[in-house]
Amino acid sequence: LEVGDVIALRAQAIFGSSTVGHREMFIKKIAGYLPVVGATKDFLHASRITTGQTGITANTVLLLNQKDDGSNIPYSTSTGIITLSAGKTYKLTAMLQHEGGVGATYLNYGFYNNTTSSFFGFYCTSESLSSASNWGDAGGASAVITPTVTTQVVLKCIGVGGSTGTMRTGYSYLYV
């Protein structure tokens, strides 16, 4: 047997033999590794650089303005749209930090499916300790999705505590 082999196990007790209650285990190899044809590992890593995004209110699309090299999932840094292919399973994770002293004490955000017009997955609240000049923690939103059609997804603000929020540069990013 080799690592990755698929096996079937059968255990039985043999009675009536010279060793009463003797137990045996039979192992049968069913298959080894199956070849993966045409599969690629898709990924996306985007982050917020240069300046923070200001004026964030409920339903604002949160923009990460740098798509890192090698990322092969379509992402628009100007609209925040992530395009996911049908039939693949994706795990999405976002970690954002907001500036608490610039109008909002917390920022709720999560993944929004533009194709079905609905939030999905687990949302996050990035909350600062006060409205003074400090930063909210970089909590994370996450979701898993297997679209049946090509699907457009964005990271969107659900709500803010206070007037408007500001996403901090350098500490906000997205993985798919």
Side-chain angles (χ1 to χ4, degrees):
L1 293 175
E2 298 175 11
V3 172
D5 286 344
V6 179
I7 60 170
L9 297 175
R10 182 181 64 165
Q12 68 183 32
I14 302 173
F15 295 99
S17 66
S18 59
T19 310
V20 176
H22 176 71
R23 290 169 179 78
E24 294 183 356
M25 179 74 70
F26 297 93
I27 300 174
K28 178 180 178 185
K29 181 177 175 179
I30 299 172
Y33 282 118
L34 298 175
V36 178
V37 180
T40 59
K41 291 184 179 182
D42 296 331
F43 77 98
L44 166 64
H45 181 258
S47 55
R48 184 77 194 182
I49 61 163
T50 61
T51 60
Q53 181 179 351
T54 60
I56 298 171
T57 60
N59 292 315
T60 299
V61 174
L62 302 170
L63 300 174
L64 298 161
N65 57 5
Q66 175 178 296
K67 180 179 175 181
D68 294 344
D69 292 340
S71 298
N72 60 346
I73 294 175
Y75 175 73
S76 169
T77 57
S78 60
T79 64
I81 293 175
I82 306 163
T83 304
L84 304 176
S85 300
K88 294 184 177 185
T89 299
Y90 298 91
K91 179 182 178 187
L92 299 91
T93 304
M95 305 288 274
L96 304 181
Q97 191 173 62
H98 83 282
E99 296 186 30
V102 197
T105 56
Y106 69 85
L107 179 69
N108 287 338
Y109 62 94
F111 291 100
Y112 185 82
N113 185 329
N114 278 350
T115 306
T116 62
S117 300
S118 60
F119 282 96
F120 67 101
F122 297 98
Y123 73 89
C124 180
T125 300
S126 178
E127 186 171 13
S128 56
L129 298 175
S130 71
S131 60
S133 291
N134 60 26
W135 300 298
D137 60 356
S142 63
V144 174
I145 184 172
T146 306
T148 56
V149 297
T150 298
T151 299
Q152 292 186 340
V153 171
V154 294
L155 189 59
K156 195 179 250 194
C157 178
I158 298 168
V160 297
S163 55
T164 62
T166 298
M167 184 188 343
R168 190 166 181 222
T169 183
Y171 298 93
S172 300
Y173 52 90
L174 164 75
Y175 292 107
V176 178

